[in-house]
Amino acid sequence: MYLIKITGTNRYYRRLGNQVHQYVDDIEYATVFRKWKQAKQKADILHAAISPIGEQINFEVKQHKFYVLKNKHDKGYMNQISWNAPKEEAKFFAEKEAALKEAEEIAIGMAKVGIDVEFDIEIQS
């Protein structure tokens, strides 16, 4: 998986809409690209859009391993409501510990209402 990072500020690119974006400090909220080429093209577009206004901002594409919670049906966890999403739409965790904590919190919460659920953690790279 690939991220776009601003070299001077160590912030990450986050797509909010078609032409709307922001830069975030927390890697968990960064937009993840599956292919290096897609991330590089977007970084080049961002740089080209900012350069004419005199800003000296540089972007780099960084590879990062992410973790996804996967249930017994090989489906991914998206949010508290949907834990049967396709893995491509699942929530990514930048750190394994965050994924483990979320899996534990879900299991405890679901056990309180009589539902047994468990997840494996799968690396997405």
Side-chain angles (χ1 to χ4, degrees):
M1 307 304 262
Y2 300 92
L3 305 166
I4 297 174
K5 187 174 183 181
I6 301 173
T7 57
T9 62
N10 291 324
R11 298 182 88 194
Y12 299 94
Y13 166 78
R14 179 179 184 196
R15 178 179 36 235
L16 295 174
N18 213 12
Q19 296 294 322
V20 180
H21 62 267
Q22 66 182 186
Y23 303 105
V24 294
D25 294 321
D26 190 349
I27 196 170
E28 296 281 341
Y29 297 107
T31 296
V32 178
F33 296 86
R34 294 198 175 280
K35 297 182 179 179
W36 179 87
K37 186 175 182 179
Q38 291 173 322
K40 178 65 172 141
Q41 286 173 338
K42 185 62 177 182
D44 290 345
I45 290 168
L46 292 169
H47 184 75
I50 292 174
S51 293
I53 61 173
E55 295 290 328
Q56 297 298 317
I57 297 175
N58 292 310
F59 299 93
E60 64 180 331
V61 175
K62 302 289 278 183
Q63 186 172 19
H64 188 79
K65 289 181 184 175
F66 283 89
Y67 300 88
V68 66
L69 300 180
K70 183 181 77 165
N71 69 19
K72 64 184 175 185
H73 302 293
D74 203 30
K75 298 287 185 176
Y77 165 75
M78 184 185 298
N79 56 39
Q80 292 290 352
I81 297 165
S82 173
W83 31 278
N84 285 312
K87 286 189 292 184
E88 298 78 35
E89 298 173 15
K91 180 177 179 181
F92 291 112
F93 296 90
E95 303 294 331
K96 186 175 184 178
E97 293 77 22
L100 289 169
K101 183 177 184 228
E102 186 90 9
E104 181 180 4
E105 289 175 3
I106 294 167
I108 290 169
M110 297 304 277
K112 289 179 181 178
V113 295
I115 299 172
D116 183 29
V117 64
E118 64 181 68
F119 294 97
D120 290 328
I121 296 177
E122 184 175 283
I123 297 174
Q124 301 287 307
S125 53

